[in-house]
Amino acid sequence: MTRPYLLAATDSEPVKRFYDVVVIGSGIAGLTAAVGAARKWKVALISKSVLRDTTTFLAQGGIAAALSDKDSPDLHFQDTIRAGDGLCKEEAVRILVNEGPARVRELMEICPRFDRAGGDLVLASEGAHSVPRIAHAGGDATGSEVASALTKAMQQGSRVQVLEHEFVVDLLTNGGRCIGAVSLNLKTGAFTLNYAMATVLATGGCGQVYSLTTNPVVATGDGMSMAFRAGAAIGDMEFVQFHPTGLYTDESPVFLITEALRGEGAYLLNHAGERFMVGVHPQAELGPRDVVVGEMVRQMESSGQEYLFLDATHLDCDTLKERFPTVFDNLLKRNYNICHDRIPVAPVCHYMMGGVVSDIWGRTTLPGLYASGEVANTGVHGANRLASNSLLEGLVFSDRIVRDLDSYIGGAGEEVRRLNIELPGPSREGNRPEEVRDLRKRLQKLMTVSVGTVRDEKGLTAAVQELGDLLNSLKAPRADLEEYELYNLLTVATHIAKAGFLRQESRGAHLRRDYTATDDIKWRRHINFRLKNGEEDV
Ligand code: SIN
């Protein structure tokens, strides 16, 4: 049974704040929405941590868009559709590739550090792109450059109220509409009801459901879970992208080695020193991520090894240092010199293709609630995202949300301000902190072993059962971040496992040992979940 509200109210009356638009999350999608909406509306941007603590900030590769005269939106469309393995929503992809170049050029006006040579943009190659298409900034520091520029733009405007260390526990709903969000101030423990005509979810992904992920520790699926509890549909949850080249360590988050390094010519090698991708895909190491990961898993299983190698030792060392300063320095700190050493790598959880179902204007199935970026499921990624399409998605769809707000807010009227929300009573039970931490680890291990890169019916059945038991064994949470996050992680993990169990085929990032073929007749469709009257509808 899903609890409609996780909220544990305190004895004191929550504070009330009123906005036109509340944006939750501070990655590229949230910042773009906040900056755009603030031109006209009173906006709050809420972050559970500090603004820079996002997956966007860590992004290395760059932003894909048809920006050169050797490229076209049509070519970008074809590459995206091919990578998505039959499940992309074509209308959304058309919008992404057609509107993308203009959005990226606008971004370049406020973020001047995109890499150029002689005035021309330098475009990189990445997996499954048919031409070099990836614009990057600061070499391999695109995410931090872009996030810093957007943050500056937001801070220069006076209309966005930025609320850091404020955890959104639940969306507020009334009469089948989202009317804001309730948040917990992580420093003072006070709850606030943030009323809004429109709410934009931009909370990012859920990589923390796995033991090893490139996502920051804040990526706990909060947006997907709260949207589901509030009655919005979530979909395509079985499609979790594993990135081929996470540095093989037990660090969390795992340090990512950008795919652009393979675009520059680095090889993937097995323990016999062979380039195992040659002959597996015409683009070899630059095949789509799902294909590369599938072969890596086969190589690791047949050799009994837990990692393979990324080898850039044949490339020019000065170029590597200049083009990939983040990777170079971070590896050196860990005693690897990319110019001389083969780097141990393994597939690692990186990106959620699924999420809160949203249309071409970012509207979810719950009126008043929009979603953009990794939390959203616009359908542009299908079953496997094309590299560097994620920052682009956040830019393009947040811009569309801003444009749609005019008509939505105009119709929403003032009554939102007058609503009285009944919050649940205070919970004094809670779960012990050690227990919560142990359960988080147990969940991550279970997902890694049974719902990881390759799945089967036995593992998925056991996972669904165990996740359900874990959820039921928990007491109602107190006003505690770790407890709320555990609930959210369990909610997301359960839906990844359930959808993985239902989809009896292999497609994109969803690989089944027991159903190795793609079955277009039965499965060229999406699996969505939605709560109706407290019960789950699939
Ligand atoms: C990378 O730099 O390899 C990551 C880019 C992406 O996930 O799109």
Side-chain angles (χ1 to χ4, degrees), residues 70-383:
K70 295 187 188 62
D71 198 1
S72 67
D74 201 44
L75 212 49
H76 191 185
F77 175 84
Q78 289 165 31
D79 291 347
T80 303
I81 296 284
R82 205 175 309 118
D85 208 3
L87 275 198
C88 291
K89 292 185 182 156
E90 295 200 356
E91 189 187 11
V93 178
R94 279 266 171 239
I95 286 167
L96 181 81
V97 298
N98 286 335
E99 298 184 9
R103 296 294 86 78
V104 175
R105 287 197 182 97
E106 285 160 15
L107 178 66
M108 285 171 181
E109 282 168 25
I110 59 161
C111 180
R113 280 172 50 100
F114 272 85
D115 296 322
R116 291 175 184 273
D120 294 333
L121 272 178
V122 182
L123 298 172
S125 298
E126 282 186 8
H129 289 271
S130 53
V131 293
R133 178 180 288 138
I134 320 300
H136 44 87
D140 55 1
T142 312
S144 58
E145 291 291 340
V146 163
S148 305
L150 282 166
T151 302
K152 205 164 140 204
M154 179 176 74
Q155 284 163 343
Q156 278 165 354
S158 55
R159 294 173 74 108
V160 181
Q161 183 172 2
V162 175
L163 303 160
E164 292 177 304
H165 301 291
E166 186 101 8
F167 177 74
V168 173
V169 182
D170 272 308
L171 297 168
L172 295 171
T173 53
N174 186 279
R177 238 176 62 195
C178 179
I179 53 160
V182 58
S183 60
L184 168 69
N185 185 307
L186 297 174
K187 292 197 163 152
T188 65
F191 282 101
T192 300
L193 300 178
N194 304 280
Y195 288 93
M197 310 279 190
T199 304
V200 181
L201 270 185
T203 47
C206 57
Q208 290 292 325
V209 295
Y210 291 94
S211 308
L212 294 176
T213 176
T214 60
N215 291 187
V217 285
V218 291
T220 51
D222 306 324
M224 295 165 199
S225 302
M226 73 177 86
F228 177 72
R229 285 194 296 275
I234 56 174
D236 288 338
M237 298 298 287
E238 65 276 39
F239 296 112
V240 179
Q241 186 167 69
F242 286 76
H243 192 292
T245 53
L247 178 67
Y248 177 72
T249 56
D250 52 7
E251 281 173 38
S252 178
V254 171
F255 181 67
L256 177 79
I257 305 172
T258 177
E259 192 156 306
L261 201 76
R262 276 175 282 139
E264 204 68 29
Y267 300 144
L268 284 171
L269 302 180
N270 60 20
H271 287 256
E274 296 155 348
R275 285 183 64 197
F276 57 86
M277 282 309 298
V278 175
V280 172
H281 190 275
Q283 290 174 282
E285 282 89 349
L286 285 182
R289 281 189 190 159
D290 52 343
V291 176
V292 177
V293 166
E295 184 55 27
M296 288 178 81
V297 171
R298 269 188 288 284
Q299 292 284 332
M300 293 192 295
E301 285 183 350
S302 65
S303 64
Q305 302 284 350
E306 291 183 346
Y307 60 89
L308 295 154
F309 296 102
L310 183 68
D311 184 5
T313 57
H314 54 289
L315 301 177
D316 177 63
C317 189
D318 289 337
T319 311
L320 287 176
K321 280 187 199 163
E322 193 190 333
R323 172 70 182 84
F324 301 105
T326 310
V327 169
F328 189 88
D329 293 346
N330 275 280
L331 288 180
L332 212 53
K333 272 190 217 144
R334 293 159 174 93
N335 293 323
Y336 294 109
N337 183 330
I338 200 161
C339 296
H340 305 301
D341 301 321
R342 290 178 177 176
I343 312 299
V345 290
V348 59
C349 169
H350 182 57
Y351 189 85
M352 168 49 100
M353 267 75 73
V356 185
V357 175
S358 41
D359 69 11
I360 56 166
W361 292 101
R363 295 179 287 221
T364 70
T365 56
L366 180 66
L369 180 68
Y370 293 82
S372 179
E374 191 171 348
V375 68
N377 174 20
T378 55
V380 293
H381 307 308

Side-chain angles (χ1 to χ4, degrees), residues 390-466:
S390 47
L391 293 181
L392 185 70
E393 184 193 22
L395 270 186
V396 167
F397 285 91
S398 284
D399 172 75
R400 291 178 74 82
I401 289 171
V402 170
R403 285 189 270 150
D404 197 63
L405 285 174
D406 286 358
S407 53
Y408 182 77
I409 294 184
E414 275 291 299
E415 73 270 22
V416 163
R417 296 179 184 277
R418 292 192 291 272
L419 290 172
N420 218 359
I421 297 284
E422 284 287 313
L423 294 175
S427 158
R428 307 233 175 264
E429 286 182 303
N431 303 278
R432 285 182 298 116
E434 329 62 272
E435 190 185 5
V436 171
R437 259 165 248 147
D438 278 359
L439 286 176
R440 183 161 167 158
K441 287 220 170 75
R442 205 168 125 197
L443 152 82
Q444 291 170 330
K445 192 162 169 211
L446 176 67
M447 289 297 287
T448 304
V449 172
S450 303
V451 199
T453 46
V454 189
R455 306 152 178 190
D456 62 26
E457 181 160 327
K458 191 162 165 245
L460 290 163
T461 311
V464 172
Q465 176 70 43
E466 194 171 338

